[in-house]
């Protein structure tokens, strides 16, 4: 039997790489064909591995089969003669690899993500397309990440792929100006990718480590390009590193989330914290401060026991809200107010947000009222949080808190 989890992890890490390589060699306009070839490759893997087991080197197996599938396709397709052969004949043999190396994958992914981001389509369509063909997200995952629905995302992707087809042969020989133009969008895509991995919007298990590491890998890849916004990439690497350092301390043995003050700090990954410090220092050498700088700085202070920690975090949240307002950021700031000012002020600020239907909003209010010693209000908000919580593990956690609070009334 195939281990579904293992297969999903392999799919997540290899899908986008194969798409990028195939589009690099045979044209971005053939993105739908590349998706079909890669889907066929994974279908063959599922059938073969179900009988023979997963090979020792599944990545190499997939890459070899993908190349063979593409060659077979062109041999029997009219498109090969009418659209592709003319272009292939004018190129060297080096564009038709017998095998796909890691260097080819890295180069192709980097170019591909910028080609997508430089398309003349709306930003939301760029992000959808990149999440699909560069990050391997399915339709539902994209919809969750962008607070949309499956039907809307399907329409956006259809129109985006049609636009690519209409553009003819797209330039993959990118120059510095091309990298500068799409850099912000690329950063945002990687940021969204990491957020989905750090707190999955659709999986019962909140943490999806493979996506977090993929986001870190792409951010490191991006940081190699010397552009005006390079320090923002350094800040994003720092942000991902600080948060990822706590992945193994975030959940208990029952896969239930632990609050920050409940985590075992011995489980924090110290090398990742050091990596975060290194890149935050590199990020500080620029003249522009992005949201990634501020969020990375907040994540840094959380790794310390400095007595001025909460004052610094509050200042960073205040500045972050002026750069890009977000109700979730405002919610986090409200908690910080309970540390720096008073729990009364924190409750007052949280109430202003009126995030009805948001379980994190109710959980925060419950926690603040608990700190304030108001057991009745704590239980009220825990019950509200329970009504709008979908994940079983989170329901269990809230029920445990409710049980403890009920015993104290």
């Amino acid at each position: 039997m195939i281990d579904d989890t293992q297969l999903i992890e392999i799919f997540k890490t290899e899908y986008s790489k194969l798409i990028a390589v195939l589009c690099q060699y045979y044209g971005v306009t053939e993105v739908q064909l590349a998706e079909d070839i890669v889907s066929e490759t994974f279908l063959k893997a599922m059938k073969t591995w179900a009988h023979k087991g997963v090979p020792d080197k599944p990545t190499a197996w997939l890459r070899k089969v993908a190349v063979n599938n593409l060659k077979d396709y062109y041999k029997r397709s009219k498109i090969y003669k009418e659209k592709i052969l003319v272009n292939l004949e004018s190129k060297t043999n080096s564009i038709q690899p017998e095998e796909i190396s890691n260097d080819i994958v890295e180069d192709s992914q980097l170019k591909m993500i910028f080609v997508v981001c430089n398309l003349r389509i709306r930003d939301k369509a760029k992000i959808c397309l990149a999440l699909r063909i560069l990050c391997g997200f399915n339709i539902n995952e994209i919809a969750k990440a962008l607070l949309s629905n499956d039907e809307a995302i399907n329409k956006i992707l259809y129109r985006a792929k049609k636009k690519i087809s209409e553009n003819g042969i797209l330039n993959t020989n990118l120059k510095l100006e091309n990298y500068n133009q799409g850099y912000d969008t690329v950063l945002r895509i990687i940021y969204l990718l990491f957020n989905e991995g750090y707190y999955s919007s659709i999986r019962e298990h909140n943490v999806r480590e493979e996506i977090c590491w993929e986001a870190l890998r792409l951010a490191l890849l991006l940081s190699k390009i010397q552009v005006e916004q390079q320090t923002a990439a350094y800040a994003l690497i720092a942000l991902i590193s600080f948060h990822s350092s706590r992945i193994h301390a975030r959940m208990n043995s029952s896969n239930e989330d632990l609050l920050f003050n409940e985590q075992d700090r011995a489980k924090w990954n110290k090398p990742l914290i050091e990596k975060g410090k290194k890149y935050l220092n590199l990020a500080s050498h620029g003249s522009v401060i992005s949201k990634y700088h501020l969020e990375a700085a907040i994540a840094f202070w959380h790794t310390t026991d400095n007595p001025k920690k909460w004052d610094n975090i509050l200042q960073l949240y205040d500045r972050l809200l002026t750069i890009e307002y977000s109700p979730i950021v405002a919610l986090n700031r409200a908690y910080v107010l309970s540390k720096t000012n008073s729990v009364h002020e924190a409750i007052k600020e949280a109430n202003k947000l009126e995030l009805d239907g948001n379980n994190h909003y109710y959980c925060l209010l419950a926690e603040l009222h608990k700190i304030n010693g108001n057991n009745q209000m704590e239980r009220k908000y825990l019950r509200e949080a329970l009504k709008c919580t979908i994940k079983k593990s989170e329901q269990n956690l809230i029920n445990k808190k409710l049980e403890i609070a009920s015993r104290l009334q």
Side-chain angles (χ1 to χ4, degrees):
M1 292 291 291
I2 307 176
D3 183 331
D4 286 345
T5 303
Q6 184 184 14
L7 190 63
I8 290 171
E9 287 180 1
I10 294 171
F11 177 85
K12 278 293 178 189
T13 55
E14 285 305 307
Y15 178 87
S16 59
K17 294 175 182 175
L18 290 174
I19 294 286
V21 171
L22 296 181
C23 287
Q24 167 75 1
Y25 288 118
Y26 300 101
V28 180
T29 52
E30 300 298 329
V31 63
Q32 186 58 58
L33 173 61
E35 282 197 275
D36 292 342
I37 294 293
V38 175
S39 296
E40 184 182 345
T41 300
F42 275 94
L43 186 61
K44 188 174 288 186
M46 287 179 66
K47 290 179 179 177
T48 305
W49 297 356
H51 296 292
K52 299 182 178 179
V54 179
D56 292 337
K57 297 180 179 178
T59 298
W61 191 98
L62 287 169
R63 292 175 181 181
K64 183 176 181 181
V65 171
V67 170
N68 288 339
N69 281 346
L70 191 63
K71 288 177 179 175
D72 290 344
Y73 175 84
Y74 282 138
K75 283 178 184 174
R76 64 176 185 263
S77 173
K78 279 180 67 180
I79 295 176
Y80 180 75
K81 296 178 182 177
E82 297 173 356
K83 296 177 63 178
I84 306 299
L85 184 61
V86 175
N87 293 315
L88 292 182
E89 285 176 340
S90 64
K91 299 177 181 178
T92 67
N93 290 333
S94 64
I95 67 165
Q96 300 181 66
E98 289 302 318
E99 60 181 70
I100 300 172
S101 67
N102 288 334
D103 286 343
I104 291 173
V105 168
E106 185 173 291
D107 183 56
S108 300
Q109 278 203 296
L110 199 50
K111 288 180 178 175
M112 185 69 182
I113 197 165
F114 276 93
V115 166
V116 168
C117 292
N118 283 329
L119 285 170
R120 291 185 178 178
I121 55 179
R122 290 183 300 133
D123 281 351
K124 188 170 184 178
K126 290 177 186 174
I127 292 171
C128 286
L129 199 58
L131 287 174
R132 175 64 183 151
I133 66 177
L134 289 165
C135 304
F137 277 40
N138 63 36
I139 302 300
N140 186 245
E141 286 172 319
I142 298 172
K144 292 284 185 182
L146 300 181
L147 303 178
S148 184
N149 58 62
D150 292 5
E151 184 181 356
I153 297 299
N154 264 321
K155 285 181 180 176
I156 290 172
L157 283 174
Y158 173 77
R159 287 195 290 266
K161 290 176 185 175
K162 188 178 178 184
K163 191 76 175 179
I164 290 177
S165 298
E166 291 171 354
N167 272 352
I169 302 299
L170 296 176
N171 176 32
T172 54
N173 296 316
L174 301 178
K175 299 176 181 176
L176 185 59
E177 62 188 58
N178 301 121
Y179 286 123
N180 271 320
Q181 287 169 0
Y183 212 81
D184 286 342
T185 308
V186 174
L187 284 170
R188 190 181 167 202
I189 289 166
I190 297 174
Y191 179 75
L192 284 172
L193 178 67
F194 173 72
N195 284 342
E196 177 61 23
Y198 196 66
Y199 184 84
S200 175
S201 56
I202 58 172
R203 297 282 182 86
E204 178 61 36
H205 195 305
N206 281 339
V207 179
R208 301 171 66 183
E209 282 190 57
E210 80 281 5
I211 297 183
C212 293
W213 306 140
E214 180 70 5
L216 181 57
R217 188 187 70 80
L218 288 176
L220 286 165
L221 191 63
L222 190 67
S223 71
K224 294 178 181 177
I225 306 172
Q226 295 187 351
V227 294
E228 296 168 1
Q229 310 96 316
Q230 191 179 23
T231 58
Y234 292 149
L236 182 58
I237 294 169
L239 166 66
I240 294 174
S241 298
F242 285 132
H243 284 304
S244 298
S245 71
R246 298 196 295 271
I247 280 181
H248 293 156
R250 270 189 54 200
M251 309 191 87
N252 61 21
S253 56
S254 302
N255 288 332
E256 296 168 341
D257 274 333
L258 295 173
L259 296 177
F260 185 83
N261 57 5
E262 297 172 335
Q263 295 175 10
D264 179 1
R265 295 192 175 203
K267 292 183 178 178
W268 288 3
N269 186 315
K270 292 182 176 55
L272 270 178
I273 292 175
E274 292 305 313
K275 182 190 279 284
K277 290 178 183 175
K278 171 188 168 184
Y279 278 94
L280 188 56
N281 182 46
L282 287 171
S284 68
H285 295 164
S287 57
V288 177
I289 295 181
S290 67
K291 61 175 280 186
Y292 310 111
H293 284 82
L294 298 172
E295 290 196 28
I298 290 170
F300 160 73
W301 282 109
H302 275 301
T303 67
T304 75
D305 291 320
N306 190 301
K308 295 184 178 179
K309 160 182 170 176
W310 292 109
D311 290 327
N312 286 320
I313 289 177
L314 181 61
Q315 289 178 24
L316 290 164
Y317 270 125
D318 286 343
R319 192 162 181 184
L320 184 57
L321 285 168
T322 64
I323 290 180
E324 186 175 308
Y325 180 82
S326 156
I328 299 302
V329 172
L331 196 63
N332 291 334
R333 178 184 177 275
Y335 176 75
V336 177
L337 279 174
S338 73
K339 296 288 187 182
T340 58
N341 296 16
S342 71
V343 69
H344 296 287
E345 188 171 340
I347 292 173
K348 187 178 177 182
E349 286 300 309
N351 281 331
K352 287 180 184 175
L353 298 172
E354 299 181 339
L355 296 175
D356 296 338
N358 185 305
N359 62 337
H360 300 295
Y361 170 62
Y362 294 129
C363 283
L364 175 66
L365 281 170
E367 181 66 19
L368 293 175
H369 282 291
K370 178 184 174 183
I371 297 170
N372 197 35
N374 191 333
N375 181 270
Q376 184 181 355
M377 292 299 283
E378 179 193 359
R379 285 183 284 112
K380 172 192 170 184
Y381 284 115
L382 284 174
R383 282 193 286 269
E384 290 296 328
L386 201 55
K387 289 179 188 174
C388 52
T389 298
I390 297 173
K391 294 182 180 182
K392 189 69 180 174
S393 60
E394 293 183 348
Q395 290 174 350
N396 291 340
L397 187 62
I398 295 171
N399 271 322
K400 284 182 182 177
K401 292 184 176 183
L402 196 52
E403 187 180 328
I404 294 170
S406 297
R407 284 201 299 265
L408 297 175
Q409 65 178 308

